[in-house]
Amino acid sequence: MLPRTLRISCARTQLPRAQFSKAIVSQFRTYVTSNAQQPAELKKTPLYDFHVAAGAKMVPFAGYSMPVTYADQSLSESHHQVRKKAGLFDVSHMVQHRFKGPAALQFLENLTPSDLTLLKPHESTLSTFLHPGTGGIVDDLIITMLNPEDFYVVTNAGCAEKDLAYINENLAVFERKSEIEHVVLEKQGLVALQGPDAKHILREFLISAMGDVSKVPDLQHFYFGQSMFVDTPFGKLHIARGGYTGEDGFEISIPPATTVEVTKALLEIGKHGDKLKLAGLGARDTLRLEAGMCLYGHDLDDSTTPIEAGLKWLVGKRRVMEGDFLGAESVARQYNDWSLVERRRVGLTVEKGAPAREGAEIVNPATSEILGKVTSGCPSPTLGQNIAMGYIKSGFHKAGTEVAVKVRGKTRKAVVTKMPFMKPNYHKPPVV
Amino acid sequence: MFARTVLRASRFAAAPRVAPRFIARGFAASTRVNEVIKKYTKAHEWISLDTADGSNTATIGITAYAAASLGDVVYVELPSVAAEAVAGETFGAVESVKSASDILSPVNGEVVEVNEALNEKPSLINASPEENGWVAKVKIAGPEVLEAEGLLEEENYKAFIEKA
């Protein structure tokens, strides 16, 4: 058996693709591991020992040794655990930044098409760093406005080097560079507590940490896309409501010294009724795909614009009109005229049988014309059918369009499907 | 499977005339005496041949180690009956939630039967990778085909996966 598609892959993170494939191949074929194609020193998150003790299958990912699955659950079981109860993901490999100062907003708006003036304090948005000229996506990221002069930003581990070079290059030529301070939060922990039980677990954790219910912040009126700082005996935690699974949940940024303690405390609370279990990159990938979310390096890359990627919603109208961000010209052209968008990111449902995975061709069943390519795909554990996302020639992108995908030379029926594939379970304010 | 082979061998070894030869030639000698021969590949397939019935029909599947590594199998692409199997070449595939893997034929031969049960229940591969989750039966030239270099005895395969 030769692993072919090797898509264990993961969370909002680009990978050195070949290297990642090697990592999985090595599970099957020893000679690959022996010929020094992996970097000698993989980095470890603060939770590394913890994963190993929990029987995790560790693989190299974005320069880190990361858990894919844990001994007590298969990938599907772990996936269902998150959808039905809760899972805890170590995402400490992701890069956490702070951009502070009077020019922070202007600088971030220079790199992204987002209208950051629309954010209230402690609100977040998905955004993209863009290349000048082409408007291609350097990386996707989450920007949280703590206050108008202080932004908390999370970027992908797999893009760390590229992003830092990009930030530094642009900072060097930024006229107000003396009014901005960029800090990478080295060794800061980041865990994602995801699933319908996440709120109960977080509340119990905070009650026990604060020792007094009255000191626990109100989670009922704390909504998707918002964040808060909580001063605890474990230090100051930044808690953001959201995640990468389509479920309600929280991403908790933890000081280096207490990352292990906080993780242990959360898991201890979640033991009761098996509410919370550790979950790895494997489940993270299938969960995010069901939720229709992009994985950088697969569904997004340097040559893809936010409009093609179906991320027009994150491009600010004011920003397009003012045109003062990198890649603005290209993005504005596509923003104003769909006829200039040659391909579109779409969801696909593929007929029973072999799933279409990354690289599979999307074809016109009538003419065999190649219409595009699948960028992510898997059998969906929640839906019990094969789902995928990919890029398709404009005109074929409408939901319900019947196309075909080629898997190992065989043509399989597929239908363009609206994403997300499942109904997200976010905690949003009631619609008035 | 291996345990059963050993059992039979030792029973046979009790016969005085054969015992010395059997000991001298080691385990391989059991292949001469109506036994099941089972070998493994470095690509994690197994092949077994029951020499008792003289049919020269070998059964092929993926190993327990491979099945565990793949996780939940959701689809098995079976070869076609009457297709030619070529040693080292793809003749099927296994899809799990996390990945797709080719199944390589361990030997040359002709596919004479495929495990249709896998169409309905691909998880048989996880539940019983080396028994009920077999993939295909292949007609081969003879038992000597299983002596090919590159086909490992169980102990060597075990050592191989421990190093992996």
Side-chain angles (χ1 to χ4, degrees), chain A residues 1-8 26-28 30 57 74-76 286 353-355 357 378-379 381 408 410 412, chain B residues 42-45 62 65-66 69-70 72 74-75 77 93-102 104 160 163-164:
Chain A
M1 299 216 320
L2 266 177
R4 187 197 275 261
T5 54
L6 311 162
R7 280 283 291 117
I8 289 190
S26 68
Q27 293 169 14
F28 297 85
T30 43
K57 185 189 280 182
S74 73
L75 201 167
S76 301
T286 52
R357 300 183 193 261
C378 73
R408 288 186 289 274
K410 286 183 193 161
R412 297 189 173 272
Chain B
K42 288 189 176 181
H44 308 287
E45 292 88 13
I62 73 167
Y65 172 80
S69 300
L70 284 170
D72 319 286
V74 295
Y75 176 74
E77 193 157 293
V94 187
E95 298 268 3
S96 71
V97 174
K98 71 182 169 196
S99 67
S101 299
D102 288 337
L104 308 183
F160 170 73
K163 275 189 284 169

Side-chain angles (χ1 to χ4, degrees), chain B residues 7 17 27 60 68 75 82 88 90-91 95 102 113 115-116 158 161:
Chain B
L7 245 174
R17 270 186 64 198
F27 187 72
I60 293 169
Y75 176 74
T90 303
F91 89 145
E95 298 268 3
D102 288 337
E113 192 183 343
N115 189 357
E116 303 279 358
K158 276 192 170 160
I161 57 179

Side-chain angles (χ1 to χ4, degrees), chain A residues 99 103 107 110-111 164-182:
Chain A
F99 292 84
F107 181 65
N110 184 30
L111 307 186
L164 289 177
Y166 170 86
I167 292 166
N168 290 334
E169 270 166 35
N170 285 295
L171 198 52
V173 297
F174 184 58
E175 69 273 23
R176 294 173 68 196
K177 63 182 163 199
S178 60
E179 295 173 62
I180 180 168
E181 186 196 353
H182 171 226

Side-chain angles (χ1 to χ4, degrees), chain B residues 8 16 40 52 60 63-64 77 100-101 107 109-110 119 126 130 133:
Chain B
R8 284 194 200 171
Y40 298 81
I60 293 169
T63 67
E77 193 157 293
S101 299
V107 293
E110 184 199 337
N119 286 330
N126 295 112
E130 303 200 17

Side-chain angles (χ1 to χ4, degrees), chain B:
Chain B
M1 200 117 217
F2 191 65
R4 198 175 79 205
T5 314
V6 172
L7 245 174
R8 284 194 200 171
S10 51
R11 210 183 300 141
F12 192 84
R17 270 186 64 198
V18 184
R21 178 176 147 239
F22 185 80
I23 290 159
R25 296 189 53 131
F27 187 72
S30 66
T31 61
R32 300 291 173 93
V33 286
N34 295 349
E35 282 304 344
V36 172
I37 313 169
K38 189 170 184 189
K39 294 289 183 76
Y40 298 81
T41 71
K42 288 189 176 181
H44 308 287
E45 292 88 13
W46 56 264
I47 178 166
S48 77
L49 178 69
D50 190 338
T51 56
D53 61 9
S55 70
N56 288 336
T57 300
T59 307
I60 293 169
I62 73 167
T63 67
Y65 172 80
S69 300
L70 284 170
D72 319 286
V73 172
V74 295
Y75 176 74
V76 183
E77 193 157 293
L78 299 166
S80 313
V81 171
E84 186 192 4
V86 179
E89 292 196 2
T90 303
F91 89 145
V94 187
E95 298 268 3
S96 71
V97 174
K98 71 182 169 196
S99 67
S101 299
D102 288 337
I103 308 171
L104 308 183
S105 180
V107 293
N108 292 330
E110 184 199 337
V111 178
V112 291
E113 192 183 343
V114 296
N115 189 357
E116 303 279 358
L118 292 174
N119 286 330
E120 286 311 306
K121 210 175 166 204
S123 62
L124 270 178
I125 289 248
N126 295 112
S128 178
E130 303 200 17
E131 299 278 351
N132 299 334
W134 62 275
V135 173
K137 296 193 178 184
V138 172
K139 179 108 174 158
I140 57 174
E144 68 280 3
V145 170
L146 268 71
E147 300 302 326
E149 223 178 298
L151 294 181
L152 308 178
E153 297 285 353
E154 183 178 32
E155 58 195 288
N156 296 336
Y157 176 68
K158 276 192 170 160
F160 170 73
I161 57 179
E162 266 162 33
K163 275 189 284 169

